């Protein structure tokens, strides 16, 4: 360590360097108000010229203590707060809690409710990936994609408004089913969305996937080896792009996902392009699941099993994870048998996925850091909780 | 470390130019198609279209108290909504009427604390609450966020 570097105070999270570049390196603050950090995430980057030597993310700017709040309210009340974690796949968040309550109390779920849940969850996965696609393009400098992504996302959001009563904070799933039955024209609207999605996916491919600039800027950038992905607990498209075949829907199946035929898209290189492509192929698979779900949808029936006055979990600890749009979202609840849980912990996919940033961004250029961050597809409120 | 993985063949300069021109033309073609088909453009001009805005019937706006046919609120001041609310948004101020029966004095609704979850409406056993379609709730008056929901009909 040179006298120069030992005399200055390093930004938090950085160790004194041993890479022999003390004289060259400097530190750059990115965020929390940076357009490419997707919310209020702050990164401190150690750079040599334009080359990234290390990144330390500083999450916590939107910490609301949602887990702590959950200790002071009933599970039913907590359920609606989870919409504010990963707001782009809020149904996955609430589904994990509903599954816990149903298992703990032995509640059954009517078949129609199961189908409604799967259809909405898959629609939300598509919506979330569409939005990500738009933002990914924008981060790489193609602002047009943002508008196309939002155009198609809007169709799904409108359906959510009609079914759930809100566009983002849906609060629709309940232990034992869903809050209300779907409107009569639900399936017809899903068909319209599927039709539009098929068209859009084709358009997305022509606009971005086959674009030379996008290819050159993502091929071989931010390579995440499978072993690293596993050891950091990555999940979702980030894990699968590295070639690890793990999808909670398939390998730890829940709800009625075992009734549908779908593939788990895998990448080979684990670079930004693979993460991009895996998400594009995931959308196509979601469309496949939706087609089957729409065909099998029970024409009538109850949408919620008998409502209980209170949902008191028996003493013990409960865990369930689901495949949300960004990866495995889990909820862990410790209960002492009273109305309010003793402890709630949410396992957010974004946190684990963000933690590999330092490993995979080292050696990349600063502009590539933006690509890499975008390809990890984080939602900051989910990380900060 | 980031490096070019061997899986991707490097393009020659000529290939580059051809591919780049192709993707440029494709991208412009898609944009151009929308230029030629203005009907497919989905932009809506809020706030100019305020009067045509339609909300889904289930849309959850601020909580209101409708009147029944007799022009009365159905609320019995049971306090279940107050209990169901995760945010402490609703305060039931009960009072006693001349027959010494517990009745609603004021239902105070702190709009600034409401997260529009609808749990109060679900919890009310007398169907006394509704969620309105009101939006554009911003205000610079603090008083606008403290609403007393019960009111005489027609006011
Ligand atoms: S909508 Fe939710 S937050 Fe608002 S008053 Fe009702 S229960 Fe409380
Ligand atoms: S609004 Fe309904 S739940 Fe609330 S106090 Fe009145 S009757 Fe009870």
């Amino acid at each position: 360590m040179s006298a120069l570097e030992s005399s200055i105070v390093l930004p938090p999270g950085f160790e004194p360097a041993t890479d022999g570049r003390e004289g060259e390196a400097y530190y750059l603050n990115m965020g929390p108000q940076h357009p490419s950090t997707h919310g209020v995430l702050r990164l401190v980057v150690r750079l040599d010229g334009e080359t990234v030597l290390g990144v330390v993310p500083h999450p916590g700017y939107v910490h609301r203590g949602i887990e702590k709040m959950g200790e002071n309210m009933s599970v039913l009340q907590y359920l609606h707060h989870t919409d504010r974690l990963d707001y782009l796949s809020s149904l996955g968040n609430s589904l994990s809690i509903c599954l816990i309550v149903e298992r703990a109390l032995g509640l059954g779920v009517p078949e129609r409710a199961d189908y409604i849940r799967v259809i909405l969850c898959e629609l939300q996965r598509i919506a979330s990936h569409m939005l990500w696609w738009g933002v990914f393009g924008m981060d790489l400098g193609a602002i047009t994609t943002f508008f196309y992504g939002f155009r198609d996302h809007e169709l799904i959001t409108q359906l959510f408004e009609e079914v759930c009563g809100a566009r983002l904070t849906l609060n629709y799933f309940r232990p034992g089913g869903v809050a209300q039955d779907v409107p009569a024209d639900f399936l017809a609207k899903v068909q319209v969305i599927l039709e539009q999605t098929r068209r859009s996916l084709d358009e997305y491919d022509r606009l971005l996937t086959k674009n030379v600039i996008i290819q050159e800027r993502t091929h071989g950038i931010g390579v995440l080896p499978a072993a690293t992905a596993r050891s950091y607990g990555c999940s979702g498209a980030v894990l699968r792009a590295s070639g690890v075949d793990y999808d909670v829907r398939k390998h730890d199946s829940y709800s009625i996902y075992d009734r549908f035929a779908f593939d788990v898209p895998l990448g080979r290189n684990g670079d930004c392009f693979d993460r991009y492509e895996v998400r594009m192929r995931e959308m196509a698979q979601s469309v496949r699941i939706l087609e089957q779900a729409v065909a099998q949808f029970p024409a009538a029936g109850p949408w919620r099993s008998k409502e209980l006055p209170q949902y008191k979990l028996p003493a013990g600890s409960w865990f369930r994870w689901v495949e949300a749009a960004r990866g495995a979202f889990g909820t862990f609840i410790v209960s002492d048998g009273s109305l309010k849980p003793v402890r709630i912990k949410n396992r957010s996919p974004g946190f684990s996925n963000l933690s590999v940033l330092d490993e995979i961004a080292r050696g990349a250029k600063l502009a590539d850091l933006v690509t890499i961050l975008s390809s990890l597809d984080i939602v900051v409120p989910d990380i900060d909780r | 470390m980031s490096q070019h993985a061997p899986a991707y063949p490097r393009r020659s300069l000529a290939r580059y130019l051809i591919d780049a021109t192709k993707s440029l033309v494709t991208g412009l073609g898609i944009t151009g198609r929308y230029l030629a088909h203005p009907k497919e453009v989905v932009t809506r001009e809020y706030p100019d279209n305020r009067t045509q805005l339609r909300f889904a019937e289930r849309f959850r706006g601020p909580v209101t108290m409708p009147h029944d046919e007799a022009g009365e609120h159905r609320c019995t001041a049971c306090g279940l909504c107050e209990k169901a609310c995760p945010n402490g948004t609703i305060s039931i101020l009960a009072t006693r009427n001349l027959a010494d029966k517990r009745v609603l004095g004021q239902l105070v609704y702190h709009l600034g604390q409401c997260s529009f979850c609808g749990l109060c409406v679900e919890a009310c056993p007398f169907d006394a609450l509704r969620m309105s379609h009101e939006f554009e709730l911003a205000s610079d008056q603090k008083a606008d966020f403290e609403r007393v929901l019960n009111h005489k009909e027609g006011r």
Side-chain angles (χ1 to χ4, degrees), chain A residues 54-250:
Chain A
V55 192
V56 173
H58 291 265
Y61 286 87
V62 274
H63 175 67
R64 295 143 297 172
I66 285 193
E67 291 169 356
K68 187 74 194 166
M69 279 157 73
E71 294 168 18
N72 295 307
M73 51 182 69
S74 69
V75 178
L76 199 59
Q77 290 174 328
Y78 180 64
L79 198 56
H80 103 281
H81 278 308
T82 56
D83 289 346
R84 281 129 182 111
L85 293 170
D86 182 351
Y87 47 80
L88 292 179
S89 67
S90 50
L91 290 172
N93 306 354
S94 31
L95 184 57
S96 72
I97 297 177
C98 290
L99 292 172
I100 286 178
V101 177
E102 282 150 18
R103 182 154 50 105
L105 298 178
L107 294 176
V109 183
E111 194 171 33
R112 189 175 165 93
D114 266 335
Y115 277 94
I116 297 175
R117 282 178 175 185
V118 165
I119 291 179
L120 290 181
C121 279
E122 290 310 311
L123 281 177
Q124 196 165 47
R125 187 182 322 277
I126 295 177
S128 168
H129 283 359
M130 278 171 167
L131 204 59
W132 160 81
W133 177 85
V135 175
F136 185 73
M138 195 172 70
D139 280 343
L140 286 152
I143 198 163
T144 328
T145 61
F146 190 66
F147 301 123
Y148 288 122
F150 250 102
R151 174 197 62 189
D152 305 327
H153 173 264
E154 174 65 20
L155 262 186
I156 300 181
T157 316
Q158 267 172 12
L159 179 75
F160 283 159
E161 189 181 323
E162 274 155 41
V163 175
C164 315
R167 295 165 63 84
L168 208 59
T169 50
L170 307 170
N171 189 26
Y172 183 60
F173 291 173
R174 296 282 186 279
V178 295
Q180 322 177 40
D181 198 8
V182 288
D185 56 356
F186 175 65
L187 285 189
K189 290 219 163 117
V190 175
Q191 296 280 22
V192 172
I193 291 174
L194 286 181
E195 196 56 38
Q196 169 70 27
T197 305
R198 279 186 218 108
R199 244 185 329 217
S200 311
L201 286 181
D202 180 51
E203 198 172 82
Y204 291 1
D205 269 343
R206 281 187 291 144
L207 211 50
L208 220 53
T209 321
K210 299 205 178 112
N211 189 300
V212 175
I213 303 172
I214 299 297
Q215 288 178 3
E216 287 296 316
R217 286 201 57 188
T218 52
H219 279 177
I221 301 293
V223 176
L224 174 64
T228 318
R230 264 205 219 99
S231 69
Y232 275 86
C234 294
S235 53
V238 177
L239 179 71
R240 293 191 283 273
S242 300
V244 183
D245 185 5
Y246 193 83
D247 185 316
V248 184
R249 289 176 293 171
K250 198 117 199 165

Side-chain angles (χ1 to χ4, degrees), chain B residues 65 74-82 92 107 123-126 128-129:
Chain B
M65 285 181 97
R74 280 182 289 260
C75 178
T76 59
C78 69
L80 282 181
C81 53
E82 192 179 8
I92 303 284
L107 193 151
C124 180
F126 301 98
L129 298 175

Side-chain angles (χ1 to χ4, degrees), chain A residues 196-375:
Chain A
Q196 169 70 27
T197 305
R198 279 186 218 108
R199 244 185 329 217
S200 311
L201 286 181
D202 180 51
E203 198 172 82
Y204 291 1
D205 269 343
R206 281 187 291 144
L207 211 50
L208 220 53
T209 321
K210 299 205 178 112
N211 189 300
V212 175
I213 303 172
I214 299 297
Q215 288 178 3
E216 287 296 316
R217 286 201 57 188
T218 52
H219 279 177
I221 301 293
V223 176
L224 174 64
T228 318
R230 264 205 219 99
S231 69
Y232 275 86
C234 294
S235 53
V238 177
L239 179 71
R240 293 191 283 273
S242 300
V244 183
D245 185 5
Y246 193 83
D247 185 316
V248 184
R249 289 176 293 171
K250 198 117 199 165
H251 299 100
D252 187 7
S253 188
Y254 54 93
S255 194
I256 50 166
Y257 275 106
D258 47 2
R259 293 189 200 174
F260 306 111
F262 64 98
D263 300 327
V264 180
L266 296 178
R268 280 175 302 146
N269 307 311
D271 58 358
C272 289
F273 187 75
D274 274 3
R275 289 192 277 277
Y276 172 91
E277 218 196 358
V278 163
R279 288 202 184 94
M280 299 302 276
R281 280 154 60 199
E282 262 180 33
M283 282 197 257
Q285 291 302 325
S286 291
V287 170
R288 227 177 116 192
I289 297 178
L290 282 168
E291 281 163 355
Q292 299 169 46
V294 167
Q296 300 170 11
F297 194 73
W303 57 90
R304 187 171 179 184
S305 57
K306 197 176 168 319
E307 240 179 275
L308 304 181
Q310 283 178 337
Y311 291 90
K312 266 192 200 166
L313 296 191
S317 53
W318 313 89
F319 178 76
R320 176 71 232 181
W321 64 359
V322 298
E323 186 73 29
R326 258 154 223 83
F329 180 94
T331 307
F332 180 68
I333 301 183
V334 183
S335 171
D336 60 357
S338 63
L339 187 60
K340 295 170 184 172
V342 176
R343 174 79 169 99
I344 292 186
K345 160 91 182 118
N346 289 118
R347 182 228 184 263
S348 74
F351 187 83
S352 317
N353 290 353
L354 177 67
S355 23
V356 296
L357 182 64
D358 181 44
E359 291 252 353
I360 64 177
R362 266 185 220 166
K365 296 276 182 271
L366 184 59
D368 292 338
L369 177 65
V370 173
T371 317
I372 294 170
L373 188 65
S374 194
S375 76

Side-chain angles (χ1 to χ4, degrees), chain B residues 49-60:
Chain B
N49 65 352
R50 256 213 204 88
T51 46
Q52 300 124 41
L53 278 184
R54 293 281 170 276
F55 284 92
E57 199 188 307
R58 294 180 183 179
F59 179 79
R60 296 196 301 262

Side-chain angles (χ1 to χ4, degrees), chain B residues 1-14:
Chain B
M1 277 300 222
S2 306
Q3 64 236 161
H4 267 278
Y8 302 110
R10 285 205 151 269
R11 290 183 169 90
S12 68
L13 184 64

Side-chain angles (χ1 to χ4, degrees), chain A residues 77 80 84 171, chain B residues 60-63 81-90 109-111 113-123 129 131 149:
Chain A
Q77 290 174 328
H80 103 281
R84 281 129 182 111
N171 189 26
Chain B
R60 296 196 301 262
V63 178
C81 53
E82 192 179 8
K83 258 206 193 118
C85 178
N87 306 319
T89 309
I90 294 177
Y109 172 61
H110 308 268
L111 177 57
Q113 287 174 5
C114 183
S115 53
F116 310 114
C117 63
L119 290 180
C120 51
V121 179
E122 267 175 50
L129 298 175
M131 302 204 81
L149 292 192

